[in-house]
Amino acid sequence: DQRVTAHSGAVTSLAPLPGGRHMLSAGRDGRVRCWDVDSGKNTLVNYGGTHSQGPLRLTIGVSHDGRLFYFPCGGTIKVYDTHSGAQVGALKGHFGYTGCCTYNPRLQELYSGGHDRQLLVWDPPIPGEVAPAEDGGWGGWDSNGQGTDTGGGGLGTESGGASAARPPLRLGAQA
């Protein structure tokens, strides 16, 4: 019986994909991996840029259809295509380290929390509704609720991109 080592450091997060046949894992080695649950093998999808700052456990959000996952990384939440490994966007709204996020499939909302003591509610683009920008990003929202552009065609742009997201809602914020 051979043991498979999932990461070269502690495993910090697990997230099953819809359907139950695959699972994402994140580790202190700065890697996210996708596993075939039936075979127990790494699918070898390369998710670049998943190095996260801080020693804390992270949570990974997975979209309702499993096509996207959301990974806290520093002060942003990076958005990845689960199957190709490509980073397709980044959500910016926390001041400082973002440590957790989870996706609500019923409402199709993403929730995140950070060291700024804020809880944010995101209405991220739905795959297929918004074409990614030329550089692969969707743009995002900055900490002031203003749309940002990553190169054209993404959300929040003046270049005609469809707006499938709103600025994050800050839960518990004083009006």
Side-chain angles (χ1 to χ4, degrees):
D1 183 39
Q2 282 189 319
R3 295 180 108 189
V4 175
T5 301
H7 292 270
S8 62
V11 176
T12 58
S13 186
L14 295 172
L17 297 179
R21 299 197 56 155
H22 292 90
M23 180 175 301
L24 296 171
S25 67
R28 286 245 169 91
D29 59 2
R31 305 246 186 251
V32 172
R33 295 205 166 106
C34 184
W35 300 91
D36 181 307
V37 174
D38 294 331
S39 70
K41 294 185 179 181
N42 181 350
T43 63
L44 302 177
V45 177
N46 181 16
Y47 303 108
T50 57
H51 295 277
S52 184
Q53 303 163 346
L56 301 176
R57 176 184 168 274
L58 298 172
T59 57
I60 301 171
V62 178
S63 67
H64 65 285
D65 59 4
R67 290 172 49 194
L68 299 176
F69 75 90
Y70 306 91
F71 185 76
C73 194
T76 65
I77 299 170
K78 293 185 177 183
V79 184
Y80 288 91
D81 180 291
T82 304
H83 302 292
S84 72
Q87 182 182 336
V88 296
L91 301 172
K92 300 172 186 166
H94 285 282
F95 299 101
Y97 182 75
T98 304
C100 60
C101 65
T102 189
Y103 188 84
N104 181 332
R106 188 174 68 78
L107 298 176
Q108 296 184 10
E109 292 179 330
L110 180 72
Y111 309 112
S112 64
H115 283 206
D116 58 3
R117 300 180 289 179
Q118 298 284 320
L119 298 174
L120 302 183
V121 179
W122 303 88
D123 185 14
I126 297 169
E129 279 192 8
V130 177
E134 291 174 12
D135 68 353
W138 281 324
W141 298 101
D142 66 17
S143 58
N144 297 317
Q146 300 299 310
T148 61
D149 185 8
T150 62
L155 66 90
T157 69
E158 297 297 322
S159 60
S163 179
R166 65 175 188 262
L169 172 66
R170 295 184 184 278
L171 297 179
Q174 300 294 325

